[in-house]
């Protein structure tokens, strides 16, 4: 299954609806390596780097992801699902 397919199955969120408007871009905080909007783009590209970036584990990114998408994508649910998938793949 593709990463995008996994996200849809796990959260019901279709990242394909993302318009790349970057409204969810909260900037890069200390505990992030890429902006939240870039994490979304990695999912769109089915790039598994999304499971390894520090931003996925950033508390500030998770907090900011709540309601961050102006087009109604639940990015918080997406992040939580990706965290679980990352841990599953790491065998943890
Ligand atoms: S705000 Fe929503 S539609 Fe815009 S780039 Fe972020 S995820 Fe995509």
């Amino acid at each position: 299954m593709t990463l995008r397919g996994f996200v849809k199955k796990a959260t019901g969120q279709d990242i394909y609806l993302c318009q790349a408007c970057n409204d969810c871009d909260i900037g890069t905080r200390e505990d992030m390596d890429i902006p939240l909007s870039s994490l979304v783009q990695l999912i769109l590209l089915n790039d598994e780097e999304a499971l390894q970036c520090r931003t996925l584990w950033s508390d500030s990114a998770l907090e900011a992801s709540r309601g961050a998408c102006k087009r109604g994508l639940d990015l918080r649910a997406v992040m939580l699902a990706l965290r679980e998938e990352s841990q599953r793949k790491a065998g943890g």
Side-chain angles (χ1 to χ4, degrees), residues 33-87:
D33 52 358
I34 57 173
L36 188 55
S37 57
S38 297
L39 176 60
V40 174
Q41 296 311 307
L42 287 175
I43 302 167
L44 257 178
L45 295 169
N46 292 313
D47 187 333
E48 302 239 336
E49 179 68 25
L51 298 175
Q52 281 141 26
C53 66
R54 286 180 62 222
T55 295
L56 184 58
W57 301 98
S58 159
D59 289 338
S60 47
L62 186 66
E63 183 58 34
S65 69
R66 192 192 301 267
C69 177
K70 305 299 181 281
R71 297 184 186 267
L73 287 171
D74 185 345
L75 298 183
R76 187 170 188 277
V78 169
M79 282 187 72
L80 291 173
L82 288 183
R83 284 184 179 192
E84 275 187 28
E85 179 68 355
S86 178
Q87 282 179 324

